[in-house]
Amino acid sequence: MSRQSAGTAFAALLRRDFLLAYRRRAELLQPLVFLLVVTTLFPLGVGPSPQLLANIAPGVIWISALLATVLSLDSLFRSDYEDGTLEQMVLSGQSLALIALSRTVAHWLVAGLPIVLLSPLLALWMNLPEEGMSILIKSLVIGTPVLSLIGAIGGALTVSLKRGGQLLSLLVFPLYVPLLILATSAVSSSVAGLPYTGQLGLMFAGLIAALTLAPFATAAALKLSLS
Amino acid sequence: MSRQSAGTAFAALLRRDFLLAYRRRAELLQPLVFLLVVTTLFPLGVGPSPQLLANIAPGVIWISALLATVLSLDSLFRSDYEDGTLEQMVLSGQSLALIALSRTVAHWLVAGLPIVLLSPLLALWMNLPEEGMSILIKSLVIGTPVLSLIGAIGGALTVSLKRGGQLLSLLVFPLYVPLLILATSAVSSSVAGLPYTGQLGLMFAGLIAALTLAPFATAAALKLSLS
Amino acid sequence: MLSISDLCFERYFERVFEPVSFDLSAGSLLLVTGSNGCGKTTLLRLLAGLLEASEGEIHSREHPLYAGHNPAIKDDLSVEENIRFWMKFMGTRETNTGTELCQQVIEEIGLTPVALQEGRTLSAGQRKRCSLARLLFCDEALWLLDEPYSNLDREGIVMLDRILKTHLDAGGACIMTTHGSLRPEGFELQECHLISGREKYSGTAA
Amino acid sequence: MLSISDLCFERYFERVFEPVSFDLSAGSLLLVTGSNGCGKTTLLRLLAGLLEASEGEIHSREHPLYAGHNPAIKDDLSVEENIRFWMKFMGTRETNTGTELCQQVIEEIGLTPVALQEGRTLSAGQRKRCSLARLLFCDEALWLLDEPYSNLDREGIVMLDRILKTHLDAGGACIMTTHGSLRPEGFELQECHLISGREKYSGTAA
Amino acid sequence: MNRLYLFFHKTGSPPWFYRFSGYLIPWLWVTFVVLTAIGLYLGLVRAPADYQQGESVRIMYLHVPAAWMSMMIYGLMAVWGFIALVWRIRIMEVLIISSAPVGAAFTIIALITGSLWGRPTWGTYWVWDARLTSELVLLFLYFGVIALYNAFDEPRKAARAASLMAIVGAINLPIIHYSVLWWNTLHQGSSIGSSGSSIHPSMLWPLLIMAIACKFFYGANLLSRSRLRLLRQDHRKRWVQELLSEES
Ligand code: HEM
Ligand SMILES: Nc1ncnc2c1ncn2[C@@H]1O[C@H](COP(=O)(O)OP(=O)(O)OP(=O)(O)O)[C@@H](O)[C@H]1O
Ligand SMILES: Nc1ncnc2c1ncn2[C@@H]1O[C@H](COP(=O)(O)OP(=O)(O)OP(=O)(O)O)[C@@H](O)[C@H]1O
Ligand SMILES: [Mg+2]
Ligand SMILES: [Mg+2]
């Protein structure tokens, strides 16, 4: 049996994901625009007072990022599941954790990274004081990969269900709570002139932990969904 | 040809939808739990100060309602589209607008009504002053059907696309903006002791308009998606 | 019952199949044959009204019954509930839409053992049978069947031929596609061999 | 190559099919037959390792190649890109995974005219061919094919038989399901007739 | 050895569990009733009312045990989930999914009694205090497990998915707890820290007795539910048929 080396398979998968993303490049903009639209709803919903907006800015931006991520999670494994690709991948004998990791990396690159890139604009809109800006970006850089990694577990668990969308959000939002708290408190602290490295450090520790554990949980969930 | 009378077909469709909802009755709770979870994110994101929360309460509750609705819209026509039911319905010669209306009614009953029923709890959580409560409920009673009606157009337009979820939110959120503004301003006005009947009146007019026009737009969109 | 002349359909400004013409009278069966990808499904969807022809005309006074690859079965409803819904929604030949008719249909199509099973759990052949159940209660005179034999076992094929026979004898008509390996037996039939637009120029089989 | 003894599978704590046992040696073809819903697909998925047997054992030293109803074709990629991806991901018989091999596979499976077309636009038969393309470059000795003939035209059936012949002659083995109306021709074959668990008790065909 | 092991767990276990739990359940119920009677008597009649909170302090005898149970049950679910996933033991799958509703119920009781208690003491039903918030998140985790289980058709697959979710949730639970704790103190200072004022023995005893009674309730309830679930799942199996014919 000519089992392909893990590296080549991983590369092939990543390549395919980029090709797919490129084919549907119009869709790449969707998480961004979603983020913009949701963030716009807040000034409309709570009123335009700059002081109030500045107060809630870190929370709103992070919550919008959570929502955008969760919305894109549902399709993380779904299309591969529905057309039988996942089945074939599992049967190919390649490590499922590696497949999960590769999909997660691709997901972060097309759904997480854009959020990071867009955040300065959102911060500007929401009147976030300038001292908070760089911490906001840092928190997103560390935090969005964790969102993808943890979210992938939920995506894998619900992939065999017809309407996984809302269930998925129910599963992953509670798991996102610590991240949301740490990130927003880091930003608020920096705005208030308080130390914030503690929070960022914890988030980083979370990233390392998620990176080592989440792919295996995702793999287990995928295996389960296929049976 | 024994074309079935429109009334019987409408009734059969509604009956089927309730049966489906009953079969997956565990899923009926999902919009509710989603609403609870999303609303919980806000205190976590913006901090627990009761004064701040009371300020943003109407906006947050309404925005959560919008999000819950939009998330459930994606499945409004999708399953019927994917398994070929929609095709057969169109071919059956029944009025497509009637089919659309029936699906919308079912959607409101399982996704909109629960939001209305849950809103007092959310208001309590978010420290909304008691004067605002009844107006919040009224605004939701008038507003959520409009959300379903307008949302159905978006759902029908995106039904043939693989990953319609985020596109859908882009299409419908802008349409929801007037509703959001009217509703939240009605609630805030009532809390501040200002008149609010104007806003509710406008919302009601919107409901009437949506009820007469939206089903036809939805039908046109469905027709388009099928070709 | 149905007559089409020089019908063809373009996709990306290219003909999917070469123009076809035929007349179909009551009581007859037309078999649309052709190799994979020559446009049989496309032709059937045109006739059903799901696509619009780019040239040619369809003359028909009938509202057809179309049964394609997509079975229109709800995953969460049982076989019985699925069939009952379609009976209510589309109307039936008999005025009675009650339980007996539904039971009878299920019996006849051979799904009695799985009548209470959910749609999602059906095997490929059971799924096909369930989607063909419509043929037993609908009143339409013109049937458009897209590869009705696929996934059916021998018994199922015999059953389908019997249903078809009854329909034709009662003055109905049917257009059926097949790629040639499975065909109705014991029928007088017209055949329409489709030629893919591509084939004509390139000379290779698609 | 593969031997199973008293294998059976439970769903909802009930047997799907009665226990089966067989031995498969290199170079032989096993046909799993049975009526619709008797559990053929389930058996194949068990053998592939996608499901877990509730009783009995599977002895096999081979990593099988499974081709089921679900074609594993990405809608947004062209036929060529699809095949190329699987060649990279699974590895190929030859060391060369380049363009020529891919072209050759596409040619052999009869998809040259649609090589650049997107997966979503394929007809039922083209889709089937694309999913069977894997047989041409994979190295696995044991093939599990679930109704490989369905949706193929005559030419496609001949082609598949030819591919199968080559595989068996080279010492491979194959297990194939069919409901009996389409079967491989010109092969020596073992047959395994599945009996559904339900049938056994009720005595009716499922 | 391995075959024996598999045989034991796949076929031997459910009937054995059924019989064993049948002996145990009555005793659990009896102990629960006795303990509850004593606890309630001590708590509601004998224990003094609080000099600050008055009679409302008696909510404590329900609130605190329920809160403790809510956390303990989630932890147990994670343990069983782990065993179910790794060793594929069916009884564990049944236990985990029978526990979830009980745990969720205790969580809801803790939330409701806490809210009712909060009204007289804090003047409001709800504040975003750290402990309250993490209890709420715990409720969502329970909901997630239950919803996930219900979303699948095949019971064994569903149970394994729920197990995985329970484990992931359990890893996160302490993290959530500490982050929430920290979040609140950071923003607000501990305005409502219900810091353990060293409780007087006359209040401590009924509390402890009630806490133990709750554990017996859980045990009895869990075993009864699991038996019922096993019966329903296996109603076509031989051991159930034999059981039925024995009893009739
Ligand atoms: C909805 C509101 C409330 C919720 C969700 C809640 C939740 C909890 C939880 C989870 C625990 C267990 C903590 C642990 O052992 O780590 C607990 C214990 C306790 N709660 Fe509450 N609580 C609420 C309201 C209150 C109120 C209003 C009071 C009284 C002023 C109160 C007094 C206590 C006491 C005395 C304990 C036991 C002390 C301890 O173990 O440290 N709770 N509560
Ligand atoms: N959306 C589309 N865009 C471009 N080409 C398409 C599209 N849909 C189908 N085709 C092409 O049109 C041709 C006819 O497709 P059709 O499904 O009608 O074939 P068919 O005769 O039913 O084949 P089969 O026997 O395989 O079912 C095929 O070559 C297919 O690749
Ligand atoms: N998830 C499920 N839950 C319950 N029953 C199921 C499920 N999946 C399949 N079945 C039943 O198991 C039986 C075997 O299904 P399977 O798909 O293996 O049949 P098959 O032999 O491949 O049939 P076909 O010839 O129609 O393809 C069928 O009766 C089917 O209804
Ligand atoms: Mg076709
Ligand atoms: Mg099958």
Side-chain angles (χ1 to χ4, degrees), chain C residues 11-12 16 35-42 147 179 198, chain D residues 114 117 121-126:
Chain C
R11 222 183 244 127
Y12 301 111
V16 175
S35 53
N36 284 148
C38 69
K40 300 180 294 295
T41 300
T42 312
E147 297 186 22
H179 5 63
R198 210 180 267 127
Chain D
V114 291
Q117 219 170 282
T121 66
L122 297 181
S123 79
Q126 290 164 343

Side-chain angles (χ1 to χ4, degrees), chain A residues 4 23 80 83 88 91, chain D residues 63 66 72 74 76 81 88:
Chain A
Q4 192 70 309
R23 279 293 138 73
D80 278 345
D83 65 17
Q88 290 295 337
L91 290 178
Chain D
H63 182 255
Y66 171 73
K74 289 256 82 91
D76 292 326
E81 285 161 341
K88 283 249 178 64

Side-chain angles (χ1 to χ4, degrees), chain B:
Chain B
M1 191 188 62
S2 68
R3 179 91 49 91
Q4 191 71 311
S5 83
T8 320
F10 185 85
L13 195 52
L14 263 186
R15 228 191 121 242
R16 183 205 69 159
D17 285 342
F18 290 136
L19 196 59
L20 279 172
Y22 176 74
R23 276 295 135 75
R24 319 232 110 232
R25 53 195 172 282
E27 277 178 15
L28 286 182
L29 288 177
Q30 281 179 22
L32 288 186
V33 182
F34 177 82
L35 204 64
L36 289 178
V37 175
V38 171
T39 320
T40 316
L41 290 180
F42 285 93
L44 294 173
V46 306
S49 142
Q51 187 46 46
L52 180 63
L53 288 179
N55 254 337
I56 62 174
V60 166
I61 294 174
W62 255 90
I63 290 173
S64 305
L66 295 193
L67 287 167
T69 310
V70 166
L71 271 191
S72 59
L73 278 177
D74 188 44
S75 61
L76 184 53
F77 296 109
R78 181 162 303 269
S79 109
D80 278 346
Y81 175 81
E82 287 182 349
D83 65 16
T85 303
L86 204 55
E87 208 171 88
Q88 290 293 339
M89 285 182 178
V90 171
L91 288 178
S92 77
Q94 293 293 348
S95 147
L96 208 49
L98 210 64
I99 294 172
L101 184 63
S102 151
R103 290 291 296 134
T104 315
V105 170
H107 177 258
W108 182 75
L109 285 175
V110 304
L113 188 58
I115 296 179
V116 178
L117 298 178
L118 198 66
S119 53
L121 179 61
L122 301 181
L124 201 79
W125 272 3
M126 297 290 296
N127 271 68
L128 184 75
E130 287 186 12
E131 311 86 68
M133 185 79 87
S134 81
I135 312 305
L136 176 71
I137 297 177
K138 275 184 203 149
S139 76
L140 285 168
V141 169
I142 306 177
T144 47
V146 187
L147 297 185
S148 294
L149 285 162
I150 297 181
I153 307 175
L157 274 174
T158 55
V159 72
S160 64
L161 307 172
K162 271 271 146 140
R163 286 185 276 163
Q166 282 187 333
L167 179 59
L168 180 57
S169 54
L170 296 188
L171 292 180
V172 301
F173 275 142
L175 302 178
Y176 285 169
V177 164
L179 214 59
L180 176 66
I181 293 177
L182 286 173
T184 51
S185 102
V187 181
S188 317
S189 303
S190 80
V191 170
L194 299 171
Y196 53 80
T197 41
Q199 291 95 314
L200 287 187
L202 279 176
M203 285 176 71
F204 194 73
L207 173 59
I208 302 295
L211 208 51
T212 46
L213 297 178
F216 294 97
T218 309
L222 282 179
K223 187 89 206 192
L224 201 96
S225 289
L226 273 175
S227 73

Side-chain angles (χ1 to χ4, degrees), chain A residues 53-63 128 136 180 183-184 187-188 191, chain B residues 45:
Chain A
L53 287 180
N55 252 337
I56 63 174
V60 166
I61 294 175
W62 256 90
I63 291 172
L128 184 75
L136 177 70
L180 176 65
T184 51
V187 181
S188 321
V191 171

Side-chain angles (χ1 to χ4, degrees), chain D residues 10 12-14 52 57, chain E residues 88 153-154 233 236-237:
Chain D
E10 291 180 6
Y12 298 108
F13 314 103
E14 218 183 307
E52 255 176 62
E57 272 168 63
Chain E
R88 299 287 164 94
D153 305 311
E154 230 284 320
Q233 286 182 353
R236 298 254 174 78
K237 284 275 170 72

Side-chain angles (χ1 to χ4, degrees), chain E residues 20-36 212-224:
Chain E
F20 178 73
S21 59
Y23 295 129
L24 211 54
I25 287 172
W27 295 107
L28 293 176
W29 281 121
V30 167
T31 321
F32 160 68
V33 171
V34 171
L35 284 180
T36 315
I212 295 171
C214 278
K215 292 185 174 54
F216 276 95
F217 172 80
Y218 167 62
N221 192 302
L222 173 68
L223 290 183
S224 312

